[in-house]
Amino acid sequence: MMDIWTKLQENYSAAEGRPIISLFDDPQRFDRFSVEANGLLLDFSKTSIDGAAFDLLLELAEMRDVAGQRDAMFRGERINRSEDRSVLHTALRAGDGGPLVIDGEDVRPGISKTLQAMEDFADGIRSGRIATAGGGAFTDVVNIGIGGSDLGPVMAVRALSPYHNGPRCHFVSNVDGAQISDTLRKLDPRSTLVIIASKTFTTIETMTNAQTAISWLKNGLGSAAASHLAAVSTALEKTAGMGISPERVFGFADWVGGRYSLWGPVGLPVMLAIGPAEFRNFLAGARDMDIHFLTEPGQRNMPLLMGLVGIWHRNICRYSTRAILPYDQRLAKLPAYLQQLDMESNGKRVSISGDLLERDSGPVVWGEAGTNGQHAFYQLLHQGTEIIPAEFLVAARSHEPSLRDHHDLLKANCLAQSEALMLGRSLEQAAEIAAELGFSGKEQSVQAGFRTFPGNRPSLTLAYPLLTPYSLGQIIALYEHRVFVEGAIWGINSFDQWGVELGKELASTLVPMIKGAPADGKDPSTRGLIRALSA
């Protein structure tokens, strides 16, 4: 009996080269190939998936028991096999649901207690009740973290700038001294709170930056520097060693992975910027997407469908990359955030049982905010030799009603790009344009070639009414679950990240050599580079 993968491949091969636009001969295609969830609309009608492929993809999800794996995650089963951990970031936004017992303990009271502590602290900082060493209000917050302790909060704080009514938030992640130097020299230590975000307080980049920030505080405040510190960590002995009082330390359990941690204490800078009430709206948007993912049937389940489109593009069409293109300047950091979420989760070559995968897993994820990207890399999207599926995000309204013309132009550009990718421009049409420009003969043919667009390039569009804390929560949770769906179908563990470890281990051995110790045991290239980089 032919397996489902073979059926999908035969469906694709039989229709290879078929214009996507021809699928719209079905007047109901947009309705059938789009789905709505609490105001969020996903349109995947501009892909090469037809009705038969759609049914096969749903069958694939059933065969891989995506729903069963999903339910196991939400129940708190230890689906992170390599680390023997539950995966329960969803519990951080679940509200006051029923008991959720992990290792004999109901974790919900602890989640509620931590959220309340965050809110009390945020209210105190924002109101001035928690004052600086000099008795004034904190005007600025510097969050020091890296990876999941940085990408999430910096993305969300920028995305939600219309809701800012708290202290200004700044972020330091890179161990390159330029970043922390450029950040701190613009600030006054007498009115700055420093948050050190590291679960174990051992992450070398974060702790190096933290020591520099603490020295900066001490230079400005002397012995009162510790009163300008807070931490997101579970390493209470280490935080105490820095003088950080326990009520200013906010921890989270090992069943919350770094890149999934924005919903808890790692999101403290977001709460400081927009306030606890709006942060709860942010959690509510994610929670409603969780409920949608758990309860909607497959053919109307947005995360499942988005994941299946990703599987179609990666494994059946063999596209190696996807572009994230938010037509929303405040989402400029979203591509980088999703790059980590997707590539650290699904950039795996072995299955959950440790066997080499039989087919490709996660694609390369990258992107840029529109319309800037149009003037950078869209040339390759439209006329390059490889097809890159595009994922557009756009809001119906902006936060600047007096600048409606700007937003109308932004929306027009977004829709035009997806349309152009699909339709392209034929050689005959390009020849007519070249003729109108005065070219003839061979030169007309040459010029027509320059102006031909192959088209038939797929895209998704994610539309939402307005970028709010609620809609941002929906969007992030949608992409989290999309990553889960793809990983479940590939049979990999989407919740570990062993691939980041080897380079870190080698870096620790190289530091003494960079400082002058013998580079014995290193390869000739590395030894040569050490010599070249010696100060």
Side-chain angles (χ1 to χ4, degrees), residues 205-226:
E205 299 95 333
T206 298
M207 301 320 298
T208 300
N209 282 325
Q211 291 296 340
T212 297
I214 291 170
S215 296
W216 175 75
L217 288 174
K218 286 181 176 178
N219 287 337
L221 300 169
S223 60

Side-chain angles (χ1 to χ4, degrees), residues 178-332:
Q179 188 179 31
I180 195 164
S181 175
D182 289 349
T183 301
L184 296 183
R185 71 184 177 192
K186 297 179 292 187
L187 303 178
D188 185 343
R190 294 170 298 180
S191 60
T192 300
L193 174 73
V194 174
I195 301 173
I196 305 168
S198 172
K199 182 182 285 189
T200 62
F201 252 49
T202 58
T203 307
I204 186 64
E205 299 95 333
T206 298
M207 301 320 298
T208 300
N209 282 325
Q211 291 296 340
T212 297
I214 291 170
S215 296
W216 175 75
L217 288 174
K218 286 181 176 178
N219 287 337
L221 300 169
S223 60
S227 65
H228 283 230
L229 292 173
V232 175
S233 179
T234 56
L236 294 178
E237 290 186 5
K238 291 184 172 65
T239 58
M242 285 188 174
I244 306 174
S245 59
E247 63 270 17
R248 293 192 180 191
V249 180
F250 307 90
F252 54 98
D254 64 6
W255 35 257
V256 179
R259 57 190 174 277
Y260 295 92
S261 61
L262 179 59
W263 316 104
V266 165
L268 182 60
V270 185
M271 186 183 285
L272 287 166
I274 67 175
E278 290 294 0
F279 190 83
R280 283 189 179 265
N281 287 333
F282 175 61
L283 298 181
R287 178 172 63 250
D288 286 352
M289 182 56 68
D290 293 343
I291 294 169
H292 173 93
F293 184 41
L294 278 166
T295 59
E296 285 295 316
Q299 64 270 25
R300 305 302 299 168
N301 191 304
M302 189 179 291
L304 177 67
L305 295 174
M306 200 172 186
L308 291 175
V309 172
I311 293 292
W312 173 261
H313 286 156
R314 184 70 179 108
N315 296 120
I316 308 304
C317 304
R318 307 302 294 271
Y319 304 145
S320 61
T321 178
R322 63 173 61 128
I324 308 296
L325 309 171
Y327 274 67
D328 198 319
Q329 183 59 32
R330 292 189 173 102
L331 287 178

Side-chain angles (χ1 to χ4, degrees), residues 5 91 97 130-131 146 152 161 180 226 246 270 340 356 397-398 413 465 491 504 512 514-515:
W5 290 105
I130 298 177
I146 197 167
S161 61
I180 195 164
V270 185
Q340 187 206 19
L356 288 175
R397 306 190 313 277
S398 78
N413 271 275
K504 293 196 297 185
I514 294 291
K515 293 179 180 292

